[in-house]
Amino acid sequence: MDLLFRTAQSRSRVSPAFGLLRRHYWPVVEEKKPVNPEHTYIPVVESAEDFKYVQKLLPPIVAPPVPVQSLMNYPTPSGWIPAAPANSNAPYFVGRSRIHGLPVYMEVEKPSYTKKFTKIKKVQGDIWQFEKDLIDWLRPHSFDALVATQVSEVNREVRIKGDYMEHVKQFLLERGF
Amino acid sequence: MSGPKSTDLALQLLRKLPRIGIGNLKPLPQFKSKPYGRGPRNTGIDGGRNYPEQQKKGSQPPMGFEGGSSPYYTRHPVQWYYRDHHLKRQYPPLSMFSLQRSIDIGLIDASSPIDLVTLCNTQIYKIDPTQRHFGVNLTEDGLQIFKAKVNIEVQWTTEAVIAAVERNGGTITCAYFDPYSLAAMTDVKRFFEKGIPIPRRTLPPENCLEFYSDPKSRGYLADPAEVSRARVELAQKLGYQLPDLTKDPQYEMLTRRKDPRQVFYDLEPGWIVNLQDEVVLKPADEEVRQYYRS
C-alpha cells in the first residue's frame, strides 16, 4: 500500500500493521510454559455437574424450531404467519429465511440514501412468471401504473424500484409462501 | 489410438467450471493498471519520498507530513459540540416488537430468564464493547403488541417499557456490566475458549449509580421492597391491573436475579470453563474465593 504521508512505521521500512489498533480488555494469555514444580498454583476443584449451566449459555448452531403455540395460533402478537404447506401447482416457490421470516428486504442506494428498492430473494421455479404476477399485483399500488423490476435469475432475486415491502409481503402470504 | 485432445479436455473442464462473471476474471500482469500518478519508482512503501540520506541525517519532515498538501489531522477543525463523545456510553436499541417476534418464532425461550447473553446468542442483536456499547436499550417500539411474560435483564429502559412488561406478569431489571464482563457476555464461546476466569463485575460509575439504584427504573442495586412498591405505584399511575407474582407458577423463574458481582446465571466469578473436557474449574483457595465473592 502506498504511503503518502510519513508515519512512525514508515521509518522502519516494514509494512504498516494498521490492524493492530485493537483494545484488549482481557489479559493477554502467555504461551504455554513448562510446568515448574517450584511455582505454587492455586488449588482447583473440577466439577462436571456445573457444566450443564455452561451448555445453556452457549449459542445454538441452528435456529431452534418454531414453538407449537405459534404454529397453532397465528398471526402471533408480533404479526408472524407461518408458511402454508407447499403445493406443487404453483410454477414458482418462495422460501423462508433461516429464522422463518419472509425474504423481502429493503435496499437503499448509497451514498445518497435517497433511492429505495424492494428485494425479494429465494425465488425458485419460473421467476419470470413470478415477476409478471408481482407486477400485476403491484400496479394498482404504484403512482403511475408502472412497476420497474429487475430479475436476477442466477441469484434467484427480483428487485423492484420503490418501497413496496408491505404489498409484496401480502402478495406472498396470500399465496402461502 | 489417439487420447483425448486438448479441445476435448478444455470442453470437459468448461462444463465443471463456474459461470464466468466480473468477479472471477483476472487481467494478465501486463494489463494491470498502475496506481494513479505513480511510475515504476514511486510504488514502494514511502512513495519515493524518503531517500536514504534523509533517514541517516535525521532531516526528515514532521510526522504526518503529506509532501505539502494539508495533512489529514489539520484538515478538519475540532468542534466543541462533539466534545467527550468518545467517553459517552451507548446502548444500542432493541425494540419490544423485535423481542416479541423472537419469542414467537422460538429464537428466545421465555420460560427462562432473558439477559444480554440470550439476546446476543440469537445473532440478530449485536453489540461491540470496544465501541463504548454498554448493553441493550429496550425501546418502546412495539409496546402495544407485547404479550409475552418474561424475566428480562436490560441495561437501559423507560417507564412505559417497564409497565408493558409488568402488565403481562413479567419482571424487568436494569443492571450494569463493565466492558470486561460485556466482552465475555457478547461472545460467550470465544470467551470460554480463552480459559480466563469469569470476571467479577464492577459497580457502575458515579454518573449512572443513581439510575441503577433507583427502584423506579428497576435498578439491580435498589431495595427489593421498594421495587415492589414502585411496581404497584406504576400500575396505579398508568391504570392497569398488576398481576400477583406470588400466585404465578413461574414465580421462581420470574424472581431470579443475579448477584451484583455475577456475570452469568448459575456461574460464579472466578470459575474457569474447560470446553474440551466439559468441566468447570473452581478455585479451592480461600483467599481467592473471598476475593471473587466480595
Side-chain angles (χ1 to χ4, degrees), chain B residues 5-157:
Chain B
K5 296 206 176 101
S6 60
T7 48
D8 297 325
L9 291 171
L11 283 169
Q12 266 179 37
L13 183 67
L14 201 62
R15 270 187 214 114
K16 288 182 187 164
L17 283 173
R19 192 182 277 225
I20 286 172
I22 290 286
N24 49 23
L25 287 175
K26 196 171 158 182
L28 291 170
Q30 59 259 41
F31 298 118
K32 253 184 158 173
S33 56
K34 286 184 193 130
Y36 175 75
R38 303 257 163 244
R41 264 192 220 193
N42 303 346
T43 50
I45 208 82
D46 48 14
R49 291 180 189 274
N50 202 11
Y51 51 91
E53 295 88 67
Q54 213 180 21
Q55 281 191 2
K56 274 188 217 164
K57 288 179 182 174
S59 59
Q60 292 172 63
M63 198 76 82
F65 185 69
E66 289 187 27
S69 51
S70 315
Y72 181 78
Y73 65 93
T74 61
R75 266 183 207 222
H76 307 284
V78 177
Q79 302 281 5
W80 184 241
Y81 70 88
Y82 59 67
R83 68 190 179 284
D84 296 342
H85 74 282
H86 60 291
L87 300 171
K88 295 222 159 55
R89 285 182 298 275
Q90 294 174 31
Y91 300 96
L94 176 77
S95 64
M96 292 203 90
F97 170 80
S98 206
L99 183 62
Q100 179 67 52
R101 177 58 69 95
S102 309
I103 292 165
D104 286 342
I105 58 175
L107 269 187
I108 292 176
D109 185 16
S111 64
S112 62
I114 301 170
D115 64 343
L116 184 63
V117 178
T118 328
L119 295 171
C120 289
N121 280 352
T122 61
Q123 291 172 45
I124 57 166
Y125 180 76
K126 286 181 179 121
I127 66 161
D128 187 1
T130 59
Q131 295 294 320
R132 298 169 301 286
H133 294 169
F134 274 73
V136 57
N137 166 20
L138 194 57
T139 57
E140 296 168 12
D141 188 16
L143 188 145
Q144 289 87 354
I145 53 99
F146 193 76
K147 294 274 186 307
K149 184 166 79 170
V150 292
N151 171 5
I152 187 160
E153 188 192 61
V154 292
Q155 279 69 54
W156 197 270
T157 188

Side-chain angles (χ1 to χ4, degrees), chain B residues 137-258:
Chain B
N137 166 20
L138 194 57
T139 57
E140 296 168 12
D141 188 16
L143 188 145
Q144 289 87 354
I145 53 99
F146 193 76
K147 294 274 186 307
K149 184 166 79 170
V150 292
N151 171 5
I152 187 160
E153 188 192 61
V154 292
Q155 279 69 54
W156 197 270
T157 188
T158 54
E159 194 185 61
V161 167
I162 294 168
V165 170
E166 290 179 348
R167 181 175 61 169
N168 295 326
T171 51
I172 182 163
T173 319
C174 280
Y176 173 82
F177 290 90
D178 54 291
Y180 198 119
S181 310
L182 287 170
M185 292 168 88
T186 50
D187 201 339
V188 181
K189 190 156 184 280
R190 189 164 153 247
F191 173 72
F192 286 154
E193 281 169 356
K194 292 242 167 201
I196 303 168
I198 292 170
R200 191 181 72 145
R201 206 160 109 196
T202 62
L203 286 174
E206 268 181 50
N207 57 13
C208 62
L209 187 61
E210 210 185 305
F211 177 83
Y212 289 110
S213 318
D214 193 4
K216 288 216 179 69
S217 49
R218 309 292 184 270
Y220 72 122
L221 296 171
D223 186 9
E226 288 190 28
V227 169
S228 310
R229 208 178 309 140
R231 276 167 56 91
V232 172
E233 280 173 11
L234 187 63
Q236 285 173 358
K237 177 181 173 185
L238 295 174
Y240 60 88
Q241 185 69 25
L242 185 70
D244 193 359
L245 277 187
T246 48
K247 297 201 175 73
D248 199 316
Q250 286 184 310
Y251 174 72
E252 264 193 57
M253 186 279 287
L254 291 170
T255 49
R256 265 186 91 182
R257 296 281 179 274
K258 285 182 196 170

